[in-house]
Amino acid sequence: MTKSKFWDAIIVGGGVIGSSIAYYMSARGMKVVLIDRDRFGQQASIAAAGMLAAQAEINEAGPFFDLARTSRALFPPLARDLQALTGMDIGFTRKGLLRVGITSADVEALQQTIAFQHSVGEQAEWLSTEQVIQREPEISRELRGAMLVEGDGQVDAPVLSIAYAKAAVALGADIKEFTEVRSLLIEHGRIAGVITSEEVLRSDRVIIASGIWSGALLEQVRLNCPIYPVKGECFSVLTDKPLISSTIFSHGCYLVPKKGGRIIVGATSKLHSYDRKVTLGGISTLLEAAKKLVPSIVNAEWEKAWSGLRPQTLDGLPYLGEHETYKGLYVAAGHYRNGILLSPITGKCVADWAEGKSKKHLSLEPYRIHRHQHISQEKVGFPT
Ligand code: FAD
Ligand code: GLY
């Protein structure tokens, strides 16, 4: 059956990226349909710790750092707007992030990062061990100080993802869960819609925001956007009174304090794993690392463990843009470790493109979706 209804855009993938796009397009008065083969937000987006770590995870000047900082700045108004539209609190807070130094090499690297942050006009401050302990009395005495970043806040990632979709619906978006997009509908060399497990949906604008599964849909138009999974496992614990107030970040481990004494401990990194099983090995590695940072975490009550598949690309940058030949076909995928942070700027950029606007102050050239077109995957291979 061919659906005659005509949308301004069909968005494939109801994770944080697709849902953000649906929200920003709907907020500009466009009629969109958001589709997921599962419930919305149940893949990478539900697994995220919710850090908005523009400074803590990116410490190199360039377009990606600017994209991350621009996106981070969108969260205060976004939190208010989503609350007003949906009644949902996305848990946006800014209580500081401590990137701790354990070895002298860490201290040196963190001092260099602070100098870099100052050179680009960002706040970052070195705290001695005593100052860190004063701020976070439960933290280990073994550390050698920490970089404090005040600007990197956090949100409740699973709530953010759903709030975007609900806000889009409140603004007129249509939604289809448990509906798989099987292929793109191409007519006369143009994008004309998608073919789902249920029906044919028509629109002259289709946005692929399907996380690690985006590449498969794009093969039909011979677009090479290699995206591979990097599995991350996490667990959470509950405490009677908050153990920490800031996010604490170290090698391969972070502790993110949430409302009500809950702490998320993340995250492992396993390349090329499509299975989401939580392993004892992964959790015990995290627990050992967490104990080294905050020893009293051993007294916390176990809550749960989970995992998700981060969508990584060959150069670590997302694919953002329009197909050069099949006009109206867009890709927004491959946000790897920062999809929550980058969700508002991604949604805004796609809404701008649909309105024929461009972001003059942001260079989107590094994210061109054709940049890996001529790379043979067999030759280069995915990183191992
Ligand atoms: P997904 O959330 O995977 O969504 C893609 C959707 O597309 C899925 O719902 C899927 O069902 C759907 N789909 C796929 N194919 C089809 C099809 N053919 N038809 C219909 N639907 C389809 N980021 C941060 O910024 N801060 C953090 O603190 C953070 N922590 C993280 C911790 C962990 C453990 C992990 C795993 C990730 C973390 N991330 C974090 C990264 C972030 O979660 C991801 O970058 C982000 O969720 C990617 O969103 P997405 O919408 O692209 O993908
Ligand atoms: N950004 C945190 C993670 O991906 O684990």
Side-chain angles (χ1 to χ4, degrees):
M1 188 183 72
T2 298
K3 189 103 180 181
S4 57
K5 191 166 181 181
F6 200 78
W7 286 278
D8 290 311
I10 295 170
I11 302 160
V12 186
V16 75
I17 297 300
S19 299
S20 163
I21 294 167
Y23 164 64
Y24 280 102
M25 290 186 82
S26 302
R28 309 255 186 110
M30 286 175 261
K31 180 78 183 165
V32 305
V33 58
L34 177 65
I35 308 177
D36 202 291
R37 64 177 168 209
D38 196 339
R39 279 211 184 83
F40 293 145
Q42 298 303 300
Q43 292 294 333
S45 304
I46 201 175
M51 293 176 288
L52 307 177
Q55 289 175 258
E57 288 209 35
I58 308 164
N59 51 24
E60 218 179 281
F64 191 56
F65 187 55
D66 296 339
L67 191 74
R69 288 192 291 170
T70 307
S71 202
R72 186 182 65 178
L74 297 173
F75 275 90
L78 175 67
R80 285 194 295 274
D81 293 346
L82 292 180
Q83 173 108 45
L85 279 163
T86 66
M88 293 175 82
D89 174 6
I90 64 165
F92 172 65
T93 55
R94 257 189 306 219
K95 294 199 177 140
L97 186 151
L98 289 166
R99 195 148 185 159
V100 303
I102 316 263
T103 64
S104 50
D106 294 342
V107 174
E108 203 178 312
L110 288 169
Q111 303 273 20
Q112 279 170 12
T113 302
I114 291 172
F116 158 70
Q117 299 289 350
H118 291 170
S119 74
V120 291
E122 291 291 346
Q123 178 278 340
E125 182 186 341
W126 180 252
L127 300 186
S128 66
T129 308
E130 293 67 35
Q131 287 170 311
V132 179
I133 292 169
Q134 213 168 27
R135 198 183 153 98
E136 295 291 350
E138 296 294 325
I139 208 161
S140 160
R141 272 51 187 160
E142 302 300 310
L143 59 95
R144 298 186 180 207
M147 172 178 80
L148 169 66
V149 177
E150 304 274 17
D152 280 353
Q154 55 144 316
V155 292
D156 185 326
V159 174
L160 174 67
S161 196
I162 300 306
Y164 275 134
K166 283 205 168 165
V169 170
L171 293 165
D174 290 331
I175 51 168
K176 289 177 185 288
E177 291 180 298
F178 304 110
T179 304
E180 182 170 22
V181 171
R182 298 260 165 91
S183 61
L184 304 173
L185 180 67
I186 309 287
E187 284 176 353
H188 313 296
R190 288 191 57 89
I191 190 80
V194 297
I195 300 167
T196 77
S197 44
E198 311 292 321
E199 58 196 337
V200 174
L201 301 176
R202 305 189 73 88
S203 173
D204 56 11
R205 198 175 285 120
V206 172
I207 297 140
I208 306 298
S210 319
I212 58 166
W213 299 276
S214 302
L217 285 168
L218 297 167
E219 276 171 18
Q220 192 188 340
V221 286
R222 293 174 298 283
L223 180 60
N224 189 29
C225 290
I227 299 178
Y228 62 98
V230 180
K231 176 177 170 181
E233 294 158 289
C234 294
F235 69 87
S236 58
V237 294
L238 303 169
T239 57
D240 294 336
K241 56 179 179 53
L243 277 190
I244 51 173
S245 56
S246 315
T247 293
I248 296 172
F249 204 120
S250 177
H251 302 288
C253 181
Y254 48 75
L255 283 73
V256 187
K258 300 288 175 183
K259 266 192 249 159
R262 183 167 180 256
I263 301 174
I264 292 183
V265 179
T268 59
S269 278
K270 186 175 179 202
L271 273 66
H272 309 300
S273 172
Y274 281 89
D275 96 64
R276 284 179 69 183
K277 285 192 205 96
V278 177
T279 62
L280 275 183
I283 297 305
S284 66
T285 306
L286 286 177
L287 182 55
E288 285 310 310
K291 270 161 51 183
K292 285 198 181 117
L293 292 172
V294 177
S296 60
I297 199 164
V298 291
N299 301 317
E301 182 188 349
W302 175 260
E303 190 192 36
K304 59 182 178 177
W306 63 91
S307 79
L309 307 176
R310 304 176 184 92
Q312 174 62 308
T313 64
L314 293 175
D315 54 9
L317 300 177
Y319 294 107
L320 300 175
E322 187 177 14
H323 198 284
E324 285 167 3
T325 312
Y326 296 97
K327 292 293 175 197
L329 175 62
Y330 294 84
V331 183
H335 293 70
Y336 188 38
R337 298 180 65 94
N338 301 108
I340 304 301
L341 166 67
L342 297 173
S343 60
I345 193 65
T346 303
K348 272 197 155 202
C349 284
V350 177
D352 281 350
W353 295 330
E355 289 187 325
K357 296 180 191 158
S358 65
K359 288 238 170 297
K360 293 196 180 58
H361 59 289
L362 267 184
S363 164
L364 297 177
E365 179 61 22
Y367 316 110
R368 275 182 61 248
I369 64 176
H370 293 270
R371 68 185 187 276
H372 294 132
Q373 193 60 11
H374 303 295
I375 294 184
S376 147
Q377 276 175 47
E378 292 84 66
K379 207 165 153 205
V380 175
F382 282 123
T384 51

